[in-house]
Amino acid sequence: MAIIAPSLLSADFTRMGEEVREIESVGTKVLHIDIMDGHFVPNLTFGYTMVKALRPISGMVFDVHLMMTNPLEYIENFAKAGSDVITVHTECDSDLGQCIDLIHQCGKKAGLSVKPKTSPEALFPYLDKLEHILVMTVEPGFGGQSMMPDCLDKIAVIKAECASRGLQIPVMIDGGVNASNVRRAAEAGADMMVAGNAVFGATDRAAAFRELSERSEL
Ligand code: DX5
Ligand code: ZN
C-alpha cells in the first residue's frame, strides 16, 4: 500500500488549523506542504511561518516541497519551523549539494525533485545522499491539474539505479493523483503519492483517503 500524503495546498485557507487536525484524524501520517515563491513557479503559497504555526498541533510528518528558485536561503528557517522532510528541485538555482548538506546539518531528511520535462538522470549525482525523491506528475504551480502519466515511467529508471547502488529511497509522485489513476501509479512503483484535490476536495475526506490507500495496494 502506498502512503497517501494529502497536500495542504487544497485545504481551506480560512481554517488551516482545523483542516490539519481533520486530515490527521482520518489516518494521514504524512502531510505534503507546498511552498511556492512566485519565481520558480507562477504562484505563491505560504512560508515557513505557516509550518511553524501548524507544528504544535500535529504529529504528522511534515513533507515540505520547496518550489523556490533559491531554496538554500530558506532551508534553515524551514527546518527550525518543524519540517521533517525538505525537498528542493533539481531545476533551482541553488547548489544542490549544498542544499542537501544543509538539510542534513539541520537534522532533516533531504529530498530532490524533478519536473515533468527533467530527465530522472538529473537525480543520479545526488542519490547516495538522499532520503526522498519526488517525481512531479504535473507542471508544478497549481493543484487540481491532470496527471501526466508518462512521468510515471521515470520511477522504474530511478529505482533501477537505486537498486544497482544498493539504495532504497522512497519515490513519491506529486500531481493529479485520483481514484482512477492511483493503481496505475502504484504499479509504476510509487511508494508515496501526494493527493491534494482528491482528498481535501472530497465531501467525505476519510472515505477518499481510504479509497486511494486501498486502491494503491498491489
Ligand atoms: C503542485 C503541487 C502539488 C499539488 C498537488 O505544484 O506541488 O503538491 O498540491 O495537488 P493535486 O493532487 O490536486 O494535483
Ligand atoms: Zn507538491
Side-chain angles (χ1 to χ4, degrees):
M1 203 183 260
I3 291 173
I4 303 297
S7 170
L8 196 61
L9 184 63
S10 296
D12 177 351
F13 283 17
T14 67
R15 31 192 308 279
M16 283 304 210
E18 292 103 302
E19 292 284 81
V20 167
R21 287 193 179 95
E22 188 197 318
I23 217 66
E24 188 161 11
S25 77
V26 310
T28 299
K29 301 282 183 256
V30 179
L31 181 70
H32 186 77
I33 303 179
D34 286 308
I35 309 295
M36 304 187 187
D37 69 351
H39 294 276
F40 187 77
V41 288
N43 197 4
L44 289 159
T45 51
F46 29 71
Y48 54 83
T49 51
M50 179 64 80
V51 177
K52 189 174 178 193
L54 296 174
R55 184 68 285 176
I57 65 158
S58 174
M60 291 183 284
V61 169
F62 280 4
D63 168 39
V64 175
H65 177 194
L66 298 183
M67 284 163 274
M68 308 181 80
T69 302
N70 290 306
L72 187 61
E73 293 173 25
Y74 295 91
I75 284 168
E76 265 187 275
N77 283 319
F78 278 102
K80 281 187 195 145
S83 311
D84 297 297
V85 182
I86 300 178
T87 296
V88 301
H89 268 268
T90 53
E91 306 86 355
C92 76
D93 285 354
S94 298
D95 182 280
L96 297 178
Q98 279 184 36
C99 287
I100 294 166
D101 288 346
L102 182 55
I103 294 168
H104 287 155
Q105 279 161 28
C106 293
K108 309 299 179 180
K109 290 186 175 169
L112 198 53
S113 180
V114 280
K115 296 206 287 183
K117 292 193 188 85
T118 304
S119 85
E121 284 80 8
L123 299 162
F124 290 3
Y126 308 96
L127 283 182
D128 299 283
K129 304 212 281 181
L130 295 176
E131 286 83 32
H132 186 79
I133 290 169
L134 182 67
V135 172
M136 293 306 302
T137 43
V138 296
E139 281 299 336
F142 301 90
Q145 303 182 72
S146 299
M147 181 187 282
M148 301 161 76
D150 290 355
C151 296
L152 295 175
D153 298 340
K154 294 180 188 178
I155 302 172
V157 178
I158 295 163
K159 292 218 155 177
E161 182 65 19
C162 286
S164 77
R165 301 191 198 185
L167 299 169
Q168 271 200 319
I169 311 170
V171 177
M172 176 184 248
I173 60 163
D174 186 5
V177 172
N178 60 37
S180 20
N181 59 28
V182 66
R183 185 151 189 95
R184 178 168 176 192
E187 284 165 357
D191 304 296
M192 305 172 82
M193 306 188 203
V194 176
N197 230 37
V199 174
F200 276 106
T203 329
D204 185 342
R205 292 162 168 182
F209 180 80
R210 212 172 32 243
E211 186 182 14
L212 289 173
S213 304
E214 285 171 5
R215 287 197 183 195
S216 77
E217 191 166 8
L218 298 178

